[in-house]
Amino acid sequence: MLDSLEQEAEKRRSGEADEAQRRAERDEIYRMQLEPAMDALQAYLQRFMANLKIVAPRVALRHPIPGYGDVVAYLDHDYDLRTSKQTQAREIKLVSHATVASAECPSAVVRGSGKIKTVAALFQRHRLGGMLAPEKDPGGEVVAATFKAKGRIPLGLTASIDAASAQLKLGFANYDDFTTVGRVVPAAQVDEALFEEIGRYLLREPNSLLREDLPDNIRLHLKAKVQQQEIRRRWEARIETLQHEEVAMLRRRYTLAGRIAEAFGRLRRWRRPAG
């Protein structure tokens, strides 16, 4: 038993020594590579936003909302750069907005209380306005409404480092979609080339910042899934169109004019001579 205890104690001492060595290596990477790289990234972003405020290129974002369509917005270039620093951690935030171009957004009529509530909840979640002309049934339930997006979309870039991971963590809010995406970058890859990729990404120019090399089988699976979703969306749109046409036909049929026309039709058939 004593031998077993000594072996276990030696194993744990060896593991603690290895972990202490790895921690020391991460601390050195943090001090010697990541902290200077964050200084360089901050300087790059300061130059970046200063020039964009002057040039103000027209950059469009297109974010889909299920049941509505694409929300079109343009970057405002109202950048605000914020930094925070602790003993072994540091963060940079670049905050801005995009203004929705209502004239370029669809004016979508949504029918059915369930669909209306769903679309309205998505608008509210993304801080958008634009529900117009609601139609209510005799019980006061909204059964149809027109949606036309308006408002501003908050955008954000977050770059952070810490000694525990010795990596750069990037996060981008509401640039690709109404969501936050990110990437973890090893210290050795944090350089001017990465900063340029970040700039291209923020201006929606071609870039490889978030691109990953996927195996062929996964890439084919994702492609097939996208195609299936597109087919499903087309069928749903077709079914909804047919439903609207059927409802319109029934409304026409049961209006006064529709009933009169139907009665005349029956009368003509009744008076038509046989043979």
Side-chain angles (χ1 to χ4, degrees):
M1 181 175 292
L2 182 58
D3 290 341
S4 298
L5 289 174
E6 287 179 344
Q7 290 174 5
E8 181 64 25
E10 180 61 29
K11 185 188 298 184
R12 295 198 177 189
R13 282 194 294 268
S14 177
E16 291 173 356
D18 292 342
E19 177 58 30
Q21 176 64 27
R22 288 192 292 269
R23 187 164 53 249
E25 291 172 356
R26 290 194 296 267
D27 288 344
E28 184 175 2
I29 291 172
Y30 178 83
R31 289 184 295 103
M32 302 302 294
Q33 297 183 45
L34 286 176
E35 282 197 315
M38 285 291 275
D39 290 335
L41 175 58
Q42 182 175 341
Y44 176 89
L45 292 175
Q46 287 173 336
R47 293 169 52 201
F48 181 79
M49 67 180 187
N51 289 321
L52 285 179
K53 287 180 179 180
I54 298 173
V55 178
R58 190 168 173 80
V59 180
L61 304 177
R62 293 181 178 272
H63 295 350
I65 290 183
Y68 172 73
D70 284 349
V71 175
V72 182
Y74 289 89
L75 298 186
D76 287 343
H77 303 298
D78 58 337
Y79 301 100
D80 180 18
L81 189 63
R82 308 169 186 174
T83 63
S84 61
K85 188 174 182 179
Q86 301 176 5
T87 304
Q88 290 188 312
R90 185 171 172 182
E91 183 179 80
I92 296 174
K93 283 189 176 182
L94 184 64
V95 180
S96 61
H97 297 82
T99 297
V100 175
S102 294
E104 299 182 36
C105 295
S107 182
V109 178
V110 181
R111 302 184 184 278
S113 60
K115 288 185 178 180
I116 292 170
K117 290 177 181 178
T118 299
V119 176
L122 290 172
F123 267 53
Q124 184 176 8
R125 182 190 306 172
H126 304 317
R127 305 179 187 180
L128 300 174
M131 188 173 80
L132 310 171
E135 301 176 14
K136 298 182 179 181
D137 63 11
E141 183 80 15
V142 178
V143 294
T146 300
F147 285 85
K148 185 81 168 176
K150 64 179 181 179
R152 299 180 81 204
I153 301 173
L155 306 171
L157 156 65
T158 301
S160 62
I161 59 172
D162 59 77
S165 65
Q167 294 175 320
L168 171 65
K169 298 175 184 177
L170 296 173
F172 302 90
N174 296 336
Y175 275 95
D176 278 316
D177 201 342
F178 287 112
T179 188
T180 298
V181 295
R183 176 185 170 186
V184 177
V185 185
Q189 298 178 15
V190 183
D191 53 18
E192 288 288 339
L194 176 68
F195 304 161
E196 286 293 316
E197 288 295 300
I198 292 173
R200 292 190 182 96
Y201 178 89
L202 296 179
L203 292 182
R204 319 313 300 140
E205 294 183 359
N207 66 88
S208 59
L209 184 65
L210 303 180
R211 188 179 304 162
E212 295 184 11
D213 294 329
L214 299 175
D216 291 340
N217 60 334
I218 296 179
R219 187 180 294 108
L220 291 174
H221 173 73
L222 293 175
K223 183 177 180 181
K225 187 174 181 180
V226 170
Q227 291 174 344
Q228 291 172 359
Q229 291 174 343
E230 180 62 25
I231 293 173
R232 179 181 176 182
R233 281 194 294 267
R234 290 177 183 175
W235 273 108
E236 287 177 345
R238 178 59 178 163
I239 291 171
E240 187 172 358
T241 300
L242 291 174
Q243 289 174 340
H244 290 167
E245 291 174 354
E246 184 177 355
V247 170
M249 181 189 69
L250 291 172
R251 285 179 176 174
R252 289 194 301 270
R253 182 174 181 179
Y254 289 100
T255 58
L256 179 60
R259 288 197 297 271
I260 293 173
E262 187 177 2
F264 272 110
R266 288 198 300 267
L267 181 62
R268 283 195 298 269
R269 290 195 296 271
W270 179 73
R271 296 183 60 183
R272 186 179 302 162

